[in-house]
Amino acid sequence: MIRMESVTKRYPDGTVAVDRLSLEIPDRSITVLVGPSGCGKTTTLRMINRMVEPTEGTISLDGADLQQQPVTTLRRSMGYVIQNAGLFQHRTILDNIATVPRMIGWGKQKSRERAAELMERVGLDASLGKRYPYQLSGGQQQRVGVARALAADPPVLLMDEPFSAVDPVVRKGLQDELLRIQDELGKTIVFVTHDIDEAVKLGSMVAVMRTGGRLAQFAPPAELLSD
Ligand code: ADP
Ligand code: ADP
């Protein structure tokens, strides 16, 4: 479990992005952070993998304070997916995914096999492996982003508006795919979106944040109060 206790992030210019946020993110399910632009969702997500350090409060993973863990160990246990996939433009799709197992010391052949298996897992045809990112649609690129984040088999996946830049029909397909992957692999997923419908569809738990970085509600979708 990821536990945040009264976490505040104040950026050097004085902006309070997250204000005394307490959250318990359960294992093996999808927790969605939802709220308007600027309410602190990305900052919250980035504090979980220590791309951003909290100003106050503590964050723990399975009972151990994140501050006590080497950042490299932490990052390995957390896949990260962003809006435009962030793929290496000069590498093929297969190499984009295989890079991750390579970095953690798998051999070349085994890494490529792992990448091919992950392409299948996220619904990408094997023939796309030889292409470059610019030769794929936005939705396909996001699938590659998900495959790459899964490549080292991390227990946790952090996803920052991963499907926001694709059209609604493709987005629905990606959401369905994510639910299937979650069901099959049982990852702990923290998913950021500004779209309440997406939050309700994907989340086992939904954290509604409001401007100023405060938590307004934390509940299963069926128990959210409308306002
Ligand atoms: P969201 O993901 O909900 O859009 P963010 O976490 O990106 O929100 O931002 C929360 C607030 O912190 C916003 O007011 C934003 O402008 C501010 N902010 C984000 N990053 C920085 C930064 N590096 N320095 C100063 N302010 C920042
Ligand atoms: P499954 O197909 O059982 O759901 P995965 O897709 O996670 O499992 O893994 C597929 C293959 O890759 C398995 O043979 C597994 O042992 C291997 N594998 C996955 N992650 C790792 C890892 N971090 N280190 C070593 N081998 C791994």
Side-chain angles (χ1 to χ4, degrees):
M1 184 202 295
I2 299 164
R3 181 199 291 258
M4 309 185 86
E5 287 178 85
S6 198
V7 171
T8 293
K9 175 61 189 183
R10 191 178 303 105
Y11 284 108
D13 69 357
T15 304
V16 177
V18 175
D19 188 9
R20 289 163 290 166
L21 179 71
S22 294
L23 265 188
E24 288 187 355
I25 296 169
D27 286 342
R28 297 176 176 274
S29 60
I30 303 179
T31 297
V32 178
L33 307 180
V34 67
S37 177
C39 74
K41 304 180 298 293
T42 294
T43 300
T44 302
L45 198 70
R46 289 183 177 172
M47 287 193 288
I48 296 173
N49 68 2
R50 292 187 59 192
M51 286 168 73
V52 170
E53 299 288 356
T55 317
E56 285 161 42
T58 55
I59 308 177
S60 63
L61 174 64
D62 299 330
D65 190 339
L66 289 191
Q67 300 293 326
Q68 311 300 325
Q69 307 179 33
V71 171
T72 45
T73 312
L74 193 70
R75 299 266 168 88
R76 252 176 219 185
S77 70
M78 297 183 178
Y80 188 54
V81 186
I82 57 173
Q83 188 171 101
N84 290 306
L87 303 179
F88 307 120
Q89 293 301 321
H90 57 285
R91 290 191 195 163
T92 65
I93 297 309
L94 197 75
D95 282 344
N96 260 278
I97 304 167
T99 294
V100 175
R102 289 285 281 162
M103 279 191 309
I104 62 173
W106 292 29
K108 192 168 184 176
Q109 187 54 32
K110 194 160 177 256
S111 296
R112 293 176 74 88
E113 283 166 18
R114 172 75 176 152
E117 173 194 310
L118 280 157
M119 286 184 66
E120 195 183 336
R121 168 84 72 200
V122 301
L124 286 169
D125 193 87
S127 66
L128 298 176
K130 289 202 264 321
R131 294 206 193 169
Y132 288 85
Y134 74 91
Q135 297 171 306
L136 265 55
S137 70
Q140 287 170 331
Q141 290 190 35
Q142 286 309 116
R143 286 174 195 268
V144 178
V146 174
R148 194 174 62 180
L150 289 169
D153 202 21
V156 176
L157 267 192
L158 306 177
M159 309 184 78
D160 194 351
E161 306 236 10
F163 309 147
S164 296
V166 296
D167 70 67
V169 176
V170 174
R171 189 183 315 152
K172 184 178 180 307
L174 289 166
Q175 291 166 345
D176 292 339
E177 200 83 354
L178 185 68
L179 288 168
R180 192 179 57 71
I181 287 170
Q182 157 63 24
D183 195 45
E184 287 174 8
L185 300 180
K187 301 292 180 192
T188 300
I189 299 177
V190 188
F191 189 104
V192 163
T193 181
H194 58 261
D195 176 356
I196 188 72
D197 294 330
E198 184 166 64
V200 166
K201 175 171 176 176
L202 295 178
S204 299
M205 290 296 288
V206 178
V208 182
M209 294 179 69
R210 60 171 180 243
T211 307
R214 302 289 299 272
L215 182 66
Q217 298 188 60
F218 186 52
E223 292 171 24
L224 288 177
L225 309 168
S226 59
D227 61 33

